[in-house]
Amino acid sequence: MEIPLGKQPKKLRCERGMTQKQTAGAPGMSSVTYLHYEKAQREPPPSLLADIAKYYGVTTDYLLGLSDY
């Protein structure tokens, strides 16, 4: 099952003043792959979604736009 991301990853990245390359390196993916997720051109597997949420210190629901927290 693939999960679409909302606009939250880009918002979180920009709030932290980080580049896509910097952000992608932490969860261990290429910057091109991260770009596809950020632009909703691809959907991350659930395990990677959890890693991205941990990286930003938010819930997966927040990343998906299902929660404001």
Side-chain angles (χ1 to χ4, degrees), residues 5 9-10 12-14 16-38 42 44 48-49 51-53 55-56:
L5 286 180
K10 182 175 182 178
L12 291 166
R13 178 179 61 78
C14 290
R16 289 163 174 75
M18 299 180 72
T19 66
Q20 290 172 338
K21 186 174 183 176
Q22 290 171 319
T23 303
M29 67 184 112
S30 75
S31 56
V32 173
T33 299
Y34 181 80
L35 172 66
H36 289 297
Y37 295 149
E38 203 173 85
R42 295 172 104 185
L48 184 55
L49 180 68
D51 289 343
I52 295 169
Y55 175 74
Y56 283 124

